[in-house]
Amino acid sequence: MAAADSPSAALRRRDLCSRGIRLAGKMRSDVVDLLDTYVEWQGLDASASVAAVEGVPAAAAERWDEQTGTQRLLENLAAYRAFRALLAQMLEEQREQLGEADTVLGRALAAVLLQVSAFAYHLEELLRLESRGPPSEEGAGPPPLPHLSLFERKLRGLGVLRELAQWAVRSARDLRQLAKPSPGSSSAPSPAESP
Amino acid sequence: QNLKCLTHNLRKMICTWDVSSKGRHGQTDFCYTTNDLLPAVCLKTKEKRVEIPVPESSATVTITTNSISGTAFATKEFEIHKTDISFVPLTPRILSLTPDFSTSTLNLKWIDNGSVFPYGLDAFWQIQILRKEVMEKVTQVTYYSKLTHEDIILSWNWRSDMPLECTSHYVKIRCYINVTQFVGPKDWSDWSPVEEVPGKDTEPNVSGVFPQDTVVAVGSDVTICCVHQEGRQIKQMKYEREIYPMIHLSSRSSAIRVLNASASHASGTNVVCELSEGDMDGTVLFVGYAPDIPQNLSCETSNFLIIKCTWKPGRPSGLYGERKTKYSLFERISVKNVSCEVNEMNRERACDFPVLADQKTYDFLLGVSNPIGRTESSLLVDLNQRVHPKAPEKLTVSGNSSTSIHLHWFINGSFAEIRLLCQIEISSGHSERKWHNVSMPGGKFSTYTAQLNTLHPYTKYQFRVRCAAADHFWRWSDWSRIEEHTTLEA
């Protein structure tokens, strides 16, 4: 973090981090459930390989250990803002394609979207503890969606949810890293450590 | 030798012949006469063909072949009878071959050259469709038309059983004209040059699975193809989760044929094309039903402001979202059309239509359509005979006597043009329930009143009321809420 914390700020940050870790854990299990529902509802093969989806930030981070707390928060925030927009697009497409017939998947998608929005807000709270605060969202929306066929959209959705599940894992680890008392953190856990 | 004469238009004929002797020779003198009384007409030609008028009955032809220096070295006379002249129509000219990819339909337009022939001749057109890289014949159809002594553009559609994107389609055409009074041999024209509609497998860097996101009827046989880039291979093609045998179309396109497709679930049936290097492409097929004819269509009004039509949808179409069945209500007299917002999951469907000023009769046509088909149901309604009021509201009871009371209630709606029949239900603890009917002129968003006499003193009563149209009874409204009242002591 940028400067040594006052005791109350450190306490506040640790509290936000631990709540964030719980939120990330819950989100991950919900996303995994959603993935099962999505694959079944969309008639996809669970093992289908999906190319990297444009506009979806990759959860795998190079030199994860060397990132500062602010970098972690900023990357996380950018990711969840992107996921918020992507999930909203998916929900819109879902309603357009299925209308009233879609109850199960639509509700599950909406629930995860709510969690992603909440988590993004949570990250903004953490960034507010920093002197700089969260970056504004103008012009930060997702790239315009290229015209995709329905099958491509189905695969894209699968890619988005898989990446989101990965991000939930990474976020928990990032927040654990942040929760460690500053200044500077002790040796960080290796990326392979599961939440 | 071998003098042959052939006509394309019954007026002029083209005669051709062979020359037996080898070696070089000069011009040929071609003389013909169609009547011994007339002098012969002679033509000089280097070709071994000339065009001359078709004779009325027969013609005598003398062909003299000259040497290079111009001296005649061979002469031969021929007698051409009308029966020797064959008639072969000109090769038809294709004007356009237009694909409609959305319906996999080819539209062929050509000119019938009718102006060349007398009025009323029967013409037969053989149209051949070929497909794939190897130009395999798919079908041959004979189309019939009548010539009208004018050049008419003829048009013909052919719906492919395979998306036109899958591979190139080719069309050629030839014709036969049945000139009954022509006594010589008649034959088909030559085939026209082939017209092509190139498939996506001929466009560089284009790939995809076709048809893209389309809707078909349950029970259809569907061909789905996978077009891939040069150098790629298709490992397998799956329909839903079943691997299908592949049909080779070209080096960049293969297809599968699904027979008797069954209904897909809401998000459609995936068709997946697994390619080399782990790539995958696909499409989504929506297999559903054409809309059923709406059952029990019924229309009524509860307030003379809105007419509510309801119906039973019949078999679900299995199509949702932007492909779902759409309903519209068209009223023939006012020519007014209303589109209906309908929830596919509700068993009963409803649609509102505004009551129109000064119109009592409504001739409704409920139109139902989805991407697979269309149907309709109609109903003629006299609105005065279809009044189904809402339940009376704000029922109040007042009374300052021991044996009579006044009831007041409000009905939401504009009933000024009809009489209302209202039924008051009277019940009290120990005695039997009684009903009292009263009719009154309808009002506009009015409160109505009725008086009840011959009640028992000092007795606790429960009252409720319902109403209907008096003159043309259709349906009772629901009952109002119950209102209690105790009569005064005697």
Side-chain angles (χ1 to χ4, degrees):
Chain A
M1 311 297 281
D5 287 339
S6 68
S8 65
L11 206 61
R12 169 85 175 123
R13 191 177 73 247
R14 205 164 298 123
D15 172 51
L16 283 173
C17 285
S18 62
R19 276 195 286 131
I21 291 164
R22 281 199 302 279
L23 190 52
K26 169 75 167 69
M27 185 163 48
R28 182 171 185 276
S29 73
D30 287 353
V31 171
V32 168
D33 292 344
L34 172 57
L35 259 169
D36 293 342
T37 308
Y38 186 85
V39 161
E40 192 208 323
W41 185 270
Q42 298 288 24
L44 291 172
D45 192 331
S47 61
S49 73
V50 180
V53 181
E54 198 202 332
V56 176
E62 285 161 23
R63 290 194 296 282
W64 177 83
D65 315 345
E66 300 156 19
Q67 284 192 330
T68 68
T70 304
Q71 280 170 331
R72 293 183 197 286
L73 286 176
L74 290 173
E75 277 197 13
N76 268 264
L77 183 56
Y80 285 94
R81 281 178 172 172
F83 281 121
R84 187 172 55 197
L86 292 164
L87 289 172
Q89 258 166 6
M90 281 171 70
L91 203 50
E92 179 54 34
E93 283 164 7
Q94 198 65 14
R95 288 190 179 123
E96 187 189 284
Q97 287 304 318
L98 296 171
E100 316 86 5
D102 164 44
T103 49
V104 176
L105 186 54
R107 277 203 303 267
L109 255 175
V112 167
L113 171 57
L114 218 57
Q115 290 181 58
V116 164
S117 304
F119 196 75
Y121 177 76
H122 204 78
L123 295 167
E124 284 160 3
E125 279 295 292
L126 274 164
L127 275 165
R128 278 191 194 90
L129 288 180
E130 304 258 325
S131 54
R132 49 178 293 142
S136 83
E137 289 211 62
E138 271 104 41
L145 201 62
H147 173 70
L148 298 177
S149 71
L150 288 181
F151 185 73
E152 286 164 333
R153 284 192 217 171
K154 285 188 174 186
L155 287 186
R156 188 176 199 273
L158 186 57
V160 168
L161 295 180
R162 279 180 178 166
E163 201 59 40
L164 176 55
Q166 298 293 330
W167 260 100
V169 172
R170 172 175 161 184
S171 300
R173 291 174 47 238
D174 281 332
L175 291 175
R176 265 191 214 94
Q177 204 62 15
L178 275 163
K180 288 177 182 165
S182 65
S185 57
S186 61
S187 64
S190 70
E193 188 209 38
S194 68
Chain B
Q1 294 154 352
N2 302 325
L3 175 65
K4 291 191 190 107
C5 294
L6 169 151
T7 177
H8 291 306
N9 55 27
L10 307 178
R11 288 193 307 281
K12 292 271 184 159
M13 63 183 184
I14 298 157
C15 296
T16 58
W17 60 88
D18 301 332
V19 174
S20 60
S21 71
K22 297 279 177 294
R24 299 179 64 235
H25 41 73
Q27 287 201 322
T28 300
D29 296 322
F30 184 99
C31 300
Y32 69 93
T33 174
T34 58
N35 179 329
D36 298 342
L37 305 178
L38 292 174
V41 174
C42 289
L43 311 161
K44 278 192 179 297
T45 176
K46 282 198 179 115
E47 314 274 332
K48 291 193 285 277
R49 61 176 266 136
V50 292
E51 184 179 70
I52 59 172
V54 171
E56 280 305 317
S57 58
S58 66
T60 306
V61 167
T62 309
I63 302 175
T64 304
T65 309
N66 302 304
S67 65
I68 294 287
S69 59
T71 54
F73 70 76
T75 297
K76 189 156 186 194
E77 191 176 279
F78 300 86
E79 195 59 32
I80 307 170
H81 296 287
K82 253 265 168 98
T83 52
D84 302 327
I85 303 164
S86 18
F87 164 60
V88 176
L90 278 172
T91 306
R93 185 161 59 85
I94 292 180
L95 275 181
S96 65
L97 179 62
T98 314
D100 176 350
F101 287 98
S102 66
T103 58
S104 305
T105 302
L106 292 176
N107 171 259
L108 179 68
K109 285 190 168 50
W110 72 97
I111 289 186
D112 74 351
N113 286 331
S115 60
V116 169
F117 299 103
Y119 184 88
L121 291 184
D122 293 330
F124 300 87
W125 310 85
Q126 263 184 358
I127 302 166
Q128 216 176 75
I129 309 275
L130 307 101
R131 185 157 63 193
K132 300 188 186 177
E133 217 161 23
V134 297
M135 290 179 76
E136 189 179 81
K137 185 170 114 176
V138 178
T139 185
Q140 179 167 300
V141 168
T142 301
Y143 178 88
Y144 163 77
S145 74
K146 228 181 208 345
L147 301 182
T148 60
H149 197 48
E150 285 175 346
D151 287 346
I152 302 290
I153 294 177
L154 297 176
S155 177
W156 174 74
N157 284 332
W158 176 71
R159 184 163 189 151
S160 172
D161 62 345
M162 168 187 301
L164 300 178
E165 297 94 335
C166 289
T167 193
S168 297
H169 286 71
Y170 309 88
V171 175
K172 61 183 181 181
I173 185 169
R174 68 177 180 176
C175 76
Y176 178 91
I177 295 173
N178 188 24
V179 192
T180 42
Q181 67 275 26
F182 185 82
V183 295
K186 297 184 270 279
D187 203 351
W188 286 90
S189 73
D190 291 339
W191 285 103
S192 71
V194 160
E195 275 295 319
E196 177 189 6
V197 169
K200 294 291 183 196
D201 57 347
T202 62
E203 291 178 34
N205 304 321
V206 168
S207 62
V209 180
F210 302 97
Q212 275 282 313
D213 309 341
T214 197
V215 182
V216 298
V218 168
S220 304
D221 297 342
V222 190
T223 300
I224 305 141
C225 70
C226 180
V227 174
H228 54 83
Q229 306 214 4
E230 204 67 59
R232 285 295 182 81
Q233 260 81 41
I234 300 175
K235 279 184 356 196
Q236 58 189 15
M237 285 181 74
K238 286 186 190 170
Y239 180 82
E240 199 131 37
R241 287 195 169 85
E242 191 185 338
I243 298 171
Y244 269 66
M246 286 194 287
I247 306 158
H248 179 83
L249 301 178
S250 74
S251 61
R252 288 179 50 200
S253 180
S254 289
I256 59 173
R257 182 99 171 123
V258 176
L259 302 179
N260 191 17
S262 54
S264 49
H265 40 76
S267 65
T269 301
N270 297 332
V271 185
V272 182
C273 176
E274 292 177 12
L275 295 152
S276 46
E277 287 112 58
D279 270 351
M280 177 168 44
D281 206 338
T283 187
V284 182
L285 199 65
F286 295 90
V287 189
Y289 294 96
D292 235 352
I293 296 175
Q295 334 272 322
N296 316 339
L297 176 59
S298 167
C299 299
E300 63 185 30
T301 183
S302 65
N303 53 20
F304 276 97
L305 299 175
I306 295 288
I307 301 168
K308 179 181 282 295
C309 293
T310 56
W311 65 90
K312 291 262 189 297
R315 179 189 50 196
S317 67
L319 301 172
Y320 301 93
E322 52 189 42
R323 285 164 293 277
K324 74 176 183 178
T325 299
K326 295 188 168 75
Y327 300 85
S328 66
L329 205 50
F330 174 70
E331 204 283 313
R332 289 196 182 94
I333 301 167
S334 60
V335 198
K336 186 175 172 60
N337 193 60
V338 164
S339 66
C340 311
E341 209 35 61
V342 167
N343 184 329
E344 192 76 13
M345 308 311 275
N346 292 350
R347 270 310 304 156
E348 177 151 277
R349 301 292 155 78
C351 191
D352 290 347
F353 190 91
V355 171
L356 303 172
D358 310 324
Q359 182 169 337
K360 279 294 164 265
T361 305
Y362 291 79
D363 189 356
F364 285 121
L365 185 69
L366 177 66
V368 192
S369 65
N370 69 18
I372 294 175
R374 211 202 120 66
T375 187
E376 58 196 30
S377 192
S378 56
L379 181 70
L380 187 64
V381 170
D382 174 345
L383 208 51
N384 284 358
Q385 301 184 22
R386 287 292 179 279
V387 178
H388 179 200
K390 292 287 184 196
E393 304 164 35
K394 305 173 196 153
L395 174 64
T396 56
V397 184
S398 60
N400 46 20
S401 103
S402 58
T403 59
S404 77
I405 53 126
H406 280 93
L407 290 140
H408 312 271
W409 63 89
F410 170 81
I411 302 179
N412 195 0
S414 177
F415 304 99
E417 295 182 21
I418 64 167
R419 286 185 61 80
L420 285 173
L421 169 69
C422 290
Q423 185 175 71
I424 301 160
E425 182 183 81
I426 309 134
S427 47
S428 70
H430 47 274
S431 72
E432 255 187 19
R433 222 177 283 193
K434 295 197 183 85
W435 290 275
H436 175 68
N437 285 4
V438 57
S439 90
M440 70 251 326
K444 201 167 185 176
F445 297 94
S446 298
T447 295
Y448 301 90
T449 302
Q451 180 173 345
L452 286 183
N453 302 313
T454 64
L455 298 176
H456 300 300
Y458 201 53
T459 306
K460 185 177 183 183
Y461 286 95
Q462 288 84 31
F463 301 99
R464 62 178 185 171
V465 65
R466 64 180 179 177
C467 296
D471 302 330
H472 303 287
F473 182 87
W474 167 241
R475 281 195 186 129
W476 284 113
S477 72
D478 290 341
W479 286 103
S480 70
R481 290 188 22 244
I482 292 176
E483 196 59 26
E484 281 190 353
H485 179 81
T486 306
T487 50
L488 298 180
E489 291 183 57

